[in-house]
Amino acid sequence: TQSTWGLTWRVTHFCLLVRVLACSVVDGLVVPLKHSLHTTSPPDTLPYYSPSKLSFDFQQEGRQPNVTMSKTSTRLTCFGFNQDQGCFAVGTETGFSVFTSDPVRETSQRQLVPSGGFSIVAMLFRTNILALVGTKNNAQCLPTKVMIWDDHQGRFIGELTFRSEVKCVCLRRDKIIVVLESKVYVYNFADLTVLDRLDTAVNPRGLCALSMTSDNAVLAVPGLQRGSVRVELYNSKETTMLLAHESALSCISINSIGTRVATASENGTLIRVFDSLTGELIHELRRGVGRADLHAIAFSHDSKFLAACSDTGTVHVFRLDIIASEESKRDSSAKQQLDAAVTMLSDAFKSLVKSSNSQIVKSIASLQNKSFASVRLPSSSAHSHTALAFGPGPEYSVIVLTTDGFFFKFLFDPIHGGECIQDLCLPLFLSPTSEDIVVSEPPSLEGKPPNPEAEWLLI
């Protein structure tokens, strides 16, 4: 009996050791190429809550929507807009919520973990697919994993595991972009195979920008040189390098069709706009003369406007089509004035002045490229971290989300500019009354084409 007991103990100990080693190999070595497509639901310990516009299965099962909000103040862990800026996702300590931008309405709330929450909640347009990354305090969804959540099935359907913390995730219908501190991975969305690997400078902010149109896949990430930007044109299989700034980058943004790239440095005084194909500097926009930490920059849907928000609490709006026209006129006028001055100088200085002609013209023009419209956030939110987007038409508006849980909407005059007008200021998670909670049925897709910009799309 004693020998049998000893043999049993040794076999049990060996099985446990093999299991530990297997876990170590899977989680520690097969990265970041590891990917898996789950066939089972998440553990029962992860409660699944409220149906919504993102969960069409609830409508099919005949259940009634039950949109709920926190009875007390909820701390936000992250936030961000979807690709068309028509809705946004907010990460909390226990899950996430999805809101439409106009009108402001909570369409989905999920509580997936008991604590810790998510550091990244990335949407795929208005579909049932989201990418989630946990915080360091989340024991079930680690900050080194990208979990693909299917809100229709109510479960995780895939994951990507890495050796270091994930800084950012960007989604397209055909690609998943995962940003680490000094590397970027590009995956095929269909089977999670690696398509590309890019080395970058140290990127603690997780800077990355991705175009949304299907016919022009453009990715912009920091280059290896400080202040540079690497632009990958995947359709034409070309790479453009932008020497954007001398200091480290703070923001990168791409317009919806992938033809323009906007950048800002840690100095925060200038925003530069480049042609993504040629790398030509098109605009140099002056936010101000004092140093500032730019939190976000965003193009409007038609690329005629660009907005920026910094830790000074001021939102700036630049009108790019007017700037282009005025730059051309100023360049011509400044060149005429300089040519007249050159003729008055001695021959000894003519060649020197002519060689500096173009640089002087650009300097004169850039000093006048100030914001077209602006507004200051309320003092309580002035120093909060922000996310930025343009609202849908027909009115011209800028939407700002703040880490203290507020939604701001500002209107601006597209012709004359000037001071923006505050149209909305709403708390996202603060003790709502029954009248504040809008309950709506998931929209039917019968007889409607799958238009991600107009309807929720099940994929």
Side-chain angles (χ1 to χ4, degrees):
T1 303
Q2 185 176 1
S3 61
T4 302
W5 181 87
L7 177 62
T8 303
W9 182 88
R10 284 192 292 272
V11 170
T12 303
H13 181 73
F14 176 76
C15 292
L16 289 174
L17 180 61
V18 169
R19 185 175 180 181
V20 170
L21 290 176
C23 293
S24 300
V25 170
V26 170
D27 292 337
L29 297 181
V30 191
V31 290
L33 299 180
K34 175 196 169 186
H35 67 272
S36 61
L37 298 178
H38 298 296
T39 56
T40 58
S41 300
D44 295 334
T45 54
L46 303 182
Y48 182 70
Y49 279 78
S50 311
S52 69
K53 286 187 176 181
L54 291 178
S55 295
F56 295 94
D57 52 330
F58 282 93
Q59 187 182 28
Q60 296 168 0
E61 294 174 8
R63 294 199 222 170
Q64 293 298 319
N66 179 25
V67 179
T68 59
M69 295 177 68
S70 175
K71 294 299 181 182
T72 58
S73 177
T74 301
R75 189 178 73 86
L76 274 62
T77 56
C78 66
F79 47 60
F81 290 89
N82 73 335
Q83 287 80 0
D84 63 8
Q85 303 179 359
C87 48
F88 58 92
V90 175
T92 65
E93 292 178 316
T94 57
F96 66 87
S97 291
V98 175
F99 294 81
T100 54
S101 300
D102 191 7
V104 186
R105 179 177 298 173
E106 185 181 41
T107 63
S108 176
Q109 184 191 84
R110 298 290 179 261
Q111 297 186 24
L112 304 178
V113 293
S115 62
F118 298 96
S119 60
I120 297 172
V121 180
M123 300 180 64
L124 178 62
F125 290 92
R126 302 190 185 197
T127 69
N128 47 299
I129 303 299
L130 299 95
L132 307 177
V133 178
T135 66
K136 294 179 180 179
N137 299 322
N138 189 334
Q140 289 157 330
C141 297
L142 302 176
T144 56
K145 287 187 177 182
V146 178
M147 310 293 291
I148 309 300
W149 172 262
D150 186 337
D151 205 64
H152 174 60
Q153 301 183 48
R155 65 186 181 93
F156 292 107
I157 60 172
E159 71 176 58
L160 297 165
T161 302
F162 301 90
R163 293 183 183 275
S164 58
E165 182 179 342
V166 176
K167 299 295 184 180
C168 180
V169 179
C170 294
L171 303 180
R172 281 174 53 94
R173 296 188 183 280
D174 57 344
K175 293 180 177 63
I176 301 176
I177 313 299
V178 181
V179 181
L180 308 181
E181 190 166 23
S182 58
K183 194 176 289 291
V184 175
Y185 288 91
V186 181
Y187 292 88
N188 181 37
F189 214 134
D191 55 9
L192 301 185
T193 56
V194 180
L195 299 177
D196 201 0
R197 301 177 180 85
L198 306 174
D199 293 318
T200 69
V202 177
N203 185 16
R205 298 174 184 256
L207 300 181
C208 176
L210 186 65
S211 64
M212 59 175 279
T213 55
S214 59
D215 58 344
N216 190 23
V218 180
L219 171 66
V221 297
L224 289 173
Q225 181 179 340
R226 187 178 68 168
S228 66
V229 177
R230 177 173 181 170
V231 181
E232 292 293 332
L233 309 169
Y234 284 108
N235 288 65
S236 59
K237 297 181 180 180
E238 297 179 6
T239 300
T240 303
M241 296 301 300
L242 308 177
L243 300 179
H245 304 272
E246 294 183 358
S247 54
L249 298 168
S250 66
C251 286
I252 301 176
S253 180
I254 286 183
N255 65 342
S256 60
I257 58 177
T259 59
R260 298 289 183 266
V261 178
T263 66
S265 72
E266 291 182 343
N267 290 332
T269 55
L270 293 176
I271 300 171
R272 294 189 169 104
V273 181
F274 298 87
D275 185 297
S276 61
L277 178 61
T278 65
E280 179 187 358
L281 175 62
I282 301 174
H283 305 298
E284 191 170 75
L285 314 173
R286 180 165 293 278
R287 181 210 58 83
V289 295
R291 186 184 180 93
D293 183 13
L294 280 173
H295 295 159
I297 51 180
F299 286 93
S300 63
H301 306 284
D302 55 9
S303 301
K304 292 182 179 180
F305 296 93
L306 183 140
C309 190
S310 68
D311 60 351
T312 62
T314 303
V315 179
H316 296 272
V317 179
F318 302 88
R319 184 167 178 178
L320 302 182
D321 57 343
I322 286 183
I323 288 175
S325 176
E326 291 182 348
E327 279 182 342
S328 178
K329 293 179 181 179
R330 285 198 300 266
D331 286 0
S332 177
S333 175
K335 186 176 185 303
Q336 291 178 3
Q337 295 179 19
L338 286 172
D339 287 342
V342 166
T343 59
M344 300 174 61
L345 297 176
S346 63
D347 294 337
F349 294 96
K350 282 185 180 181
S351 59
L352 176 61
V353 174
K354 285 183 178 180
S355 65
S356 306
N357 190 7
S358 60
Q359 296 181 1
I360 296 174
V361 170
K362 289 182 179 180
S363 299
I364 294 173
S366 65
L367 291 175
Q368 302 178 35
N369 289 343
K370 297 182 179 179
S371 59
F372 173 76
S374 64
V375 67
R376 285 192 62 84
L377 296 176
S379 57
S380 59
S381 300
H383 300 292
S384 298
H385 196 83
T386 57
L388 191 63
F390 282 86
E395 59 190 9
Y396 288 83
S397 62
V398 176
I399 296 172
V400 181
L401 305 178
T402 63
T403 48
D404 56 353
F406 280 88
F407 173 99
F408 293 96
K409 181 181 178 182
F410 301 101
L411 305 179
F412 65 92
D413 187 330
I415 305 300
H416 303 99
E419 187 72 14
C420 300
I421 300 174
Q422 181 175 303
D423 183 53
L424 283 176
C425 175
L426 298 174
L428 297 177
F429 297 104
L430 284 176
S431 304
T433 63
S434 58
E435 291 80 8
D436 295 326
I437 302 177
V438 181
V439 180
S440 59
E441 292 287 348
S444 174
L445 294 180
E446 295 180 0
K448 296 181 179 181
N451 181 0
E453 298 183 0
E455 299 290 343
W456 298 100
L457 183 64
L458 181 65
I459 62 175

